């Protein structure tokens, strides 16, 4: 192999290294948490996990095993639709949620991107009013803010945020309720297949609009108190971005020192080869 070919190979390896460092995998993020095995398995079986991994910026609203009964026994298409509504095409963490004072935002979800959504079913309303909790609900006509924020599970700033909410957001097929369970037939069961591999793709820039504040649901719907539960307006609001108070359970971002050392090694090798040409 000629020295020039070696230089090209080194630069290609550098490109692959940078791409791998920038990717994320939702199934690997959730795998350390046994409370979300049902949600994680449904993501894999319906293919929603792969769609999440292909996004550039995303927020995933996850629900614990004990509150997944709303989709239990549903057809694979209904489960996929419901999970897709729980994927917001924008980045929201605790700090960003705390800045929503008396506001209701309309957020674009992965289901809207599919082109199958009807009657605003591809959008979510996000509201934080007064001292109440942050609440989520379908933007479809007649829907309520029927789920509340519980805590942060993981975050990689400006890439992916995983937030736990109290229960499945009610979307429905052509109404505001989920369809009743089908008669015995091919339904998705929460078995554990192999995790999907991460992919990279650019997603369109999501947009959101503001609308009048809506009343949040009863705070008793939340699964329990948590260190990240929001109650009241913060005295010192923080700008949109990562906070220094990262939780101990958050998944860490790839080490910058390792990446810098790898880049330095590759460029040193390339310079050495060029001097030999």
């Amino acid at each position: 192999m000629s020295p020039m070919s070696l230089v090209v190979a080194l630069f290609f390896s550098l490109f692959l290294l940078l791409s791998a460092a920038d990717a994320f995998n939702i199934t690997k993020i959730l795998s350390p948490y046994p409370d979300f095995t049902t949600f994680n398995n449904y993501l894999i079986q319906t293919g929603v996990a792969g769609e999440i991994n292909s996004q550039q910026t995303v927020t995933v609203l996850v629900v614990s095993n004990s509150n997944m009964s709303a989709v239990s026994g549903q057809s694979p298409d209904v489960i996929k639709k419901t999970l897709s509504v729980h994927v917001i095409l924008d980045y929201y963490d605790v700090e960003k949620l705390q800045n929503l004072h008396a506001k209701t935002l309309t957020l674009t979800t992965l289901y809207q991107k599919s082109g199958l959504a009807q009657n605003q079913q591809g959008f979510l309303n996000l509201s934080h009013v007064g001292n109440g909790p942050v609440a989520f609900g379908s933007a479809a006509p007649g829907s309520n803010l029927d789920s509340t924020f519980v805590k942060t599970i993981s975050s990689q700033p400006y890439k992916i945020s995983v937030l736990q909410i109290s229960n499945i957001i009610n979307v429905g097929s052509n109404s505001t309720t989920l369809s009743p369970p089908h008669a015995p037939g091919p339904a998705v069961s929460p078995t554990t297949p192999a995790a999907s591999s991460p992919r990279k793709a650019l997603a369109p820039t999501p947009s959101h609009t503001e609308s009048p504040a809506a009343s949040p649901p009863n705070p008793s719907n939340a699964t329990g108190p948590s260190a990240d539960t929001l109650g009241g307006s913060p005295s010192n609001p923080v700008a949109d971005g990562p906070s220094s108070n990262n939780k101990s359970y958050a998944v860490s971002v790839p080490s910058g020192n390792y990446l810098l050392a790898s880049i330095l090694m590759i460029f040193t090798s390339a310079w050495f080869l060029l001097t030999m040409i």
Side-chain angles (χ1 to χ4, degrees), residues 22-166:
D22 195 47
F24 53 79
N25 189 316
I26 183 61
T27 60
K28 290 183 178 180
I29 291 174
L30 291 177
S31 60
Y33 304 96
D35 286 344
F36 305 110
T37 54
T38 301
F39 193 95
N40 198 14
N41 290 334
Y42 281 146
L43 287 178
I44 297 169
Q45 295 170 23
T46 59
V48 175
E51 296 181 34
I52 292 173
N53 295 338
S54 70
Q55 304 303 312
Q56 187 176 26
T57 302
V58 69
T59 299
V60 183
L61 306 177
V62 299
V63 178
S64 65
N65 298 336
S66 59
N67 292 312
M68 291 291 294
S69 59
V71 294
S72 177
Q74 299 288 340
S75 70
D77 287 343
V78 171
I79 295 176
K80 181 175 183 178
K81 166 189 173 180
T82 303
L83 295 183
S84 297
V85 170
H86 289 68
V87 181
I88 301 170
L89 300 181
D90 199 353
Y91 181 83
Y92 283 88
D93 56 14
V94 173
E95 289 74 23
K96 196 168 182 179
L97 294 178
Q98 285 177 335
N99 288 330
L100 301 177
H101 303 301
K103 289 182 180 178
T104 295
L105 303 181
T106 300
L107 311 176
T108 305
T109 71
L110 188 61
Y111 186 54
Q112 177 66 23
K113 187 178 178 181
S114 72
L116 301 175
Q118 301 177 5
N119 301 324
Q120 296 292 102
Q121 291 176 344
F123 297 94
L124 288 182
N125 285 333
L126 166 62
S127 180
H128 185 201
V129 180
N131 294 327
V134 173
F136 297 86
S138 173
S143 299
N144 299 315
L145 297 172
D146 52 7
S147 186
T148 56
F149 170 78
V150 177
K151 65 183 180 182
T152 296
I153 301 302
S154 174
S155 64
Q156 296 179 19
Y158 309 112
K159 296 178 184 177
I160 183 170
S161 175
V162 182
L163 308 177
Q164 181 183 355
I165 58 175
S166 59

